Amino acid sequence: TLPRPPPAGQFACSDRHVFYRPREPYGGPPRDAWAPLHEAILQAEGLANHSFQRLAFSHATWRQPSTPEGYVPTQSLVTPLGEPPGAVSLGRARGVAVDGCSFANLGSAYALSVGGASQQVSVVGSSFTSLAGGAVKLGNVDDERALATSPERMDSAFRVVDNTIRSAALELRGAAAIFAGYVRDTTISHNSVAETGYTAISLGWGWGTHVLGRQTFMRNNHVVSNRMERVVSALNDGGCIYTLGPQPNSTVSLNYCEADRAPVVGSFYHDNGSRYFRTTRNVASNSPAPCVYLQGCCGAPALDARRTAPRARAGEGSTDGPSPRGPGGRVARLVPRRGAAAQQLRTGRGQLLAGLPRPRRGLPLRRRQGDSGERASARGVASRGAGGRRRGGREGQRSRPGRTWKDARGTCEKYDFFGVTQLYSIYQK
């Protein structure tokens, strides 16, 4: 009664049977076959001062795509019906640790979900493999609660550290491997993420909703020293690290991105409404899109020169940081090494100020023609923008589209930011 036989290595179902067509060469029938019935393995509300250590969680499902309402996600599996669940779900948790656990072979939207005003929750040294959806979901996307001023109503103080994520978003392709919505005081560091259908690490929510007016409680979030490989293999408009919304005093630093397959946008992608980030010392390699992508919002470019912030350290760039003139200020300056004068750049959407850091001594730059432009920078700084002057090495030469500056240890790309041009310093880890 099947309309057609399944392809090799896949299943097909009738009302009473499940059919499997093995791959070639035929190695015999599967030794184990699991048909999960439950969407949740563990659900806990109000859990406090508890730890989960060296536990294995496997075999759960998510049936929303089969319901009459269907499955039409906006982003990261959030749908008009609500937020995606986790096979293991913690709400209003306080002081909970997930340490050295294994999450594998899960058909859930997310393997682990922590939210509902949870605080001081850590996910450390755990592995996530073979997931239909994402690995870890933090916080929520409730726009109303995001404006809360009481600490008790906030999702805060999360730590996601030293975890391994392999083969995520295999079926629910829009899931981020690590998805953090409205959160604050959160650290995502030293994780290894590989083979994802969409973004590796997604931080923030709200797009441009809260750029002007009342601000959310998002702040002090840090994505540091993560390794991400072969990401965004099925969809587009994502990256190794993706951010949304204003998040004062937040950083994206010392991350390594290899083979981000999205053909446009960028490996480190600050999308609509992203503000107040310091994005420094990241590496992108073997990706078709630019290293950094800045998306303007709300009738304004991602960076502008209406206000300037305190001077950054030499060779580091800031994207939209708090200003001494008030929380509405925006960083628009990269401080040049050795006091070089800032160069003024103009675009059709605003005026930018930028400085050109000087490369370290001993790494003279030389121009190389015909480079594919897929490798990121090495040590020493080479910074450029549209029409920007390159400092160090051969003075006076101007960068042009399609050329790559190469030093003795690698390459540094020229990046075009689709209507908002800025100079960035790309470092070797």
Side-chain angles (χ1 to χ4, degrees), residues 293-371:
Y293 180 79
L294 306 178
Q295 178 81 312
C297 171
C298 317
L303 295 178
D304 61 48
R306 286 178 290 178
R307 293 179 181 177
T308 58
R311 292 170 65 89
R313 289 179 296 173
E316 294 188 357
S318 301
T319 64
D320 288 10
S323 164
R325 302 187 184 183
R330 294 180 173 87
V331 166
R333 185 180 296 276
L334 297 179
V335 177
R337 187 181 294 250
R338 298 184 184 277
Q343 180 181 5
Q344 193 175 80
L345 300 177
R346 295 181 180 273
T347 70
R349 301 179 64 187
Q351 179 173 298
L352 308 177
L353 296 177
L356 298 172
R358 183 184 297 275
R360 294 182 181 180
R361 291 184 177 181
L363 293 176
L365 299 177
R366 61 182 182 274
R367 186 170 61 193
R368 184 175 70 173
Q369 300 282 1
D371 191 272

Side-chain angles (χ1 to χ4, degrees), residues 19 69 100 214 224 303 400 413:
F19 298 89
E69 294 81 6
R214 250 178 107 183
V224 181
L303 295 178
R400 299 177 183 176
E413 309 297 343

Side-chain angles (χ1 to χ4, degrees), residues 87-102:
V88 175
S89 178
L90 307 178
R92 294 186 296 108
R94 296 288 191 278
V96 173
V98 179
D99 186 359
C101 293
S102 168

Side-chain angles (χ1 to χ4, degrees), residues 85-138:
V88 175
S89 178
L90 307 178
R92 294 186 296 108
R94 296 288 191 278
V96 173
V98 179
D99 186 359
C101 293
S102 168
F103 298 78
N105 302 319
L106 291 166
S108 311
Y110 282 88
L112 173 64
S113 174
V114 185
S118 292
Q119 298 173 9
Q120 296 180 338
V121 176
S122 63
V123 183
V124 179
S126 296
S127 65
F128 301 80
T129 56
S130 189
L131 307 175
V136 179
K137 175 180 175 290
L138 304 175

Side-chain angles (χ1 to χ4, degrees), residues 128-211:
F128 301 80
T129 56
S130 189
L131 307 175
V136 179
K137 175 180 175 290
L138 304 175
N140 299 104
V141 297
D142 185 336
D143 288 319
E144 181 179 353
R145 187 162 63 84
L147 299 173
T149 57
S150 170
E152 291 299 313
R153 300 188 62 203
M154 300 176 183
D155 286 288
S156 64
F158 295 121
R159 292 180 64 248
V160 181
V161 180
D162 290 333
N163 300 286
T164 301
I165 301 173
R166 294 288 182 273
S167 301
L170 295 176
E171 295 183 74
L172 304 167
R173 302 300 252 169
I178 300 174
F179 170 40
Y182 289 118
V183 299
R184 66 182 289 157
D185 302 326
T186 291
T187 298
I188 301 172
S189 69
H190 294 91
N191 300 285
S192 176
V193 182
E195 299 165 4
T196 72
Y198 185 50
T199 293
I201 300 173
S202 179
L203 176 62
W205 196 256
W207 285 263
T209 305
H210 304 292
V211 168

Side-chain angles (χ1 to χ4, degrees), residues 391-402:
R391 303 273 179 175
R394 298 173 186 155
E395 293 287 340
Q397 295 185 0
R398 293 183 178 274
S399 60
R400 299 177 183 176

Side-chain angles (χ1 to χ4, degrees), residues 214-288:
R214 250 178 107 183
Q215 300 290 291
T216 71
F217 58 72
M218 290 194 298
R219 61 176 56 243
N220 300 329
N221 297 319
H222 306 285
V223 183
V224 181
S225 300
N226 298 280
R227 183 182 181 94
M228 298 147 288
E229 304 173 77
R230 303 181 298 282
V231 303
V232 200
S233 62
L235 302 182
N236 201 351
D237 200 32
C240 278
I241 297 174
Y242 172 94
T243 70
L244 282 170
Q247 302 183 46
N249 194 36
S250 295
T251 58
V252 176
S253 300
L254 294 169
N255 299 285
Y256 180 81
C257 174
E258 171 79 22
D260 173 357
R261 296 187 176 106
V264 296
V265 295
S267 298
F268 303 97
Y269 181 3
H270 294 295
D271 200 1
N272 287 154
S274 293
R275 293 290 189 274
Y276 314 132
F277 280 90
R278 290 181 62 83
T279 298
T280 63
R281 305 179 69 187
N282 300 290
V283 172
S285 176
N286 192 28
S287 300

